[in-house]
Amino acid sequence: MPEFSYSLAGFSEYAIDGALDAVADAGFSCIELTGIGTSFADWHMDHGDVVPVPPTGRVAAEFRDQIARRGLRATTFHAPPRKNVLGAPTEDWRKEKVAVLGNYLRFAGEIGAAGVVMHGIPNPMFLPTGKDVATLVDPMVDAMQRSVADLVPVAAEAGVRMLLENLPYQRDIDIDIEYPLIRMQQLRPFVDDFPPAQVGLVVDTGHAWTNGDDPAREIEIAGDRLWGTHLQDVPLEDPNDNHWAPTAGDLDWSVICATLRRINYAGTWTFEVINGRHGETADELARQSRAAAMTWGL
């Protein structure tokens, strides 16, 4: 039977103990950890561009035990986003972030996670505006290829798989170009050059529709390289990566679920629910997501 999971991104205002308790209380047995913070107590929280070195050794083992005591298991880990990308357009930026992401691959292995979600190409907010963006497309693609190649042996040693995510950036480009490596049509042939045991894909349903892509079609294209999901809902008109609970928006979840089953998806069904459409609390959103999982037979 498929496993379902809940992202701690939905509890970004909680200390780590409270976030773990809330996910367990909602009835989940698996979690996706998120990896930004300033101390061990709140390292899963977003503090801008500050990226701490994750714990290792005894401290990492204690954290794994902290998760297990609640009957939980970390199946995936979301590496720090923002500027922590594989396809940085300058070499200094790229090398710095390869080191950061390598540290999180090792940490994920120490806590027993099977996959690490990574962002490939930078959000346009971190790049020049206008036509200058077009000059960075080829350097970013080349950088992403080299970064993944650099991290394949790290992932192999850690026993985890890098999961490259579709990203909702096309609407943020202010000139008429196709932003690279943000859709499965681009990402699937990209990962074919790398070993399946170390490099896979993750489909975010809300990112897909925000880009104007059908989430079920993105799942189909990812095919047997799909090892992660971010299940979140958005409105049919003017989607904006809303991260609502499934069924709060307009996505066709019967088709999405049927497609995941049709491709024999073997990864975790992970809910990345962050915002309430009607002012729900974080705890209420987790329970709503658990209820959706039950109706899907998870």
Side-chain angles (χ1 to χ4, degrees):
M1 178 178 293
E3 293 185 297
F4 60 96
S5 174
Y6 201 77
S7 170
L8 292 196
F11 293 95
S12 61
E13 296 183 359
Y14 286 51
I16 190 69
D17 281 336
L20 293 173
D21 287 339
V23 173
D25 289 345
F28 288 87
S29 59
C30 299
I31 57 171
E32 178 172 281
L33 290 166
T34 52
I36 300 178
T38 55
S39 69
F40 181 61
D42 70 349
W43 63 269
H44 70 290
M45 297 169 64
D46 188 343
H47 292 271
D49 293 321
V50 177
V51 183
V53 176
T56 59
R58 179 182 59 81
V59 178
E62 289 175 354
F63 184 60
R64 184 173 179 171
D65 291 343
Q66 185 181 5
I67 296 170
R69 284 196 300 272
R70 293 166 169 84
L72 298 171
R73 182 165 58 91
T75 49
T76 52
F77 174 85
H78 200 310
R82 295 179 64 82
K83 291 185 177 180
N84 300 285
V85 295
L86 296 159
T90 66
E91 187 62 5
D92 287 345
W93 181 357
R94 188 191 77 83
K95 286 183 175 179
E96 176 189 349
K97 299 314 178 183
V98 165
V100 167
L101 295 171
N103 285 335
Y104 280 96
L105 282 169
R106 297 181 187 96
F107 171 71
E110 291 201 57
I111 63 170
V116 176
V117 177
M118 295 184 178
H119 287 185
I121 300 299
N123 189 315
M125 68 185 290
F126 298 118
L127 301 178
T129 58
K131 63 182 181 180
D132 291 338
V133 174
T135 67
L136 299 177
V137 168
D138 288 343
M140 290 190 297
V141 172
D142 176 68
M144 188 161 160
Q145 290 171 327
R146 290 185 290 120
S147 296
V148 173
D150 288 346
L151 290 169
V152 162
V154 181
E157 183 177 358
V160 299
R161 182 182 278 113
M162 289 179 272
L163 303 177
L164 309 184
E165 184 174 14
N166 62 320
L167 298 168
Y169 296 158
Q170 190 61 44
R171 64 181 286 152
D172 299 322
I173 300 297
D174 57 3
I175 61 173
D176 186 21
I177 64 168
E178 179 74 10
Y179 207 53
L181 296 173
I182 60 172
R183 295 182 159 104
M184 287 300 144
Q185 189 173 11
Q186 305 156 332
L187 286 167
R188 174 58 205 249
F190 177 87
V191 301
D192 283 341
D193 291 335
F194 298 101
Q198 281 78 52
V199 185
L201 298 167
V202 52
V203 167
D204 184 305
T205 55
H207 288 182
W209 193 248
T210 298
N211 263 349
D213 298 323
D214 176 9
R217 180 59 180 153
E218 291 285 88
I219 291 165
E220 287 179 339
I221 295 171
D224 61 359
R225 297 301 288 264
L226 186 66
W227 285 97
T229 53
H230 283 162
L231 306 174
Q232 55 130 328
D233 217 336
V234 294
L236 187 64
E237 300 295 331
D238 194 28
N240 190 26
D241 190 23
N242 305 81
H243 285 276
W244 293 339
T247 74
D250 300 316
L251 295 183
D252 191 333
W253 290 99
S254 63
V255 173
I256 291 170
C257 293
T259 306
L260 286 168
R261 291 188 169 98
R262 186 168 62 254
I263 68 164
N264 297 313
Y265 172 64
T268 306
W269 298 47
T270 300
F271 293 84
E272 193 181 48
V273 177
I274 300 173
N275 303 307
R277 185 173 188 176
H278 305 292
E280 296 92 340
T281 66
D283 296 82
E284 289 170 338
L285 292 174
R287 290 194 293 271
Q288 288 177 15
S289 299
R290 176 70 171 86
M294 293 290 288
T295 65
W296 299 343
L298 301 183

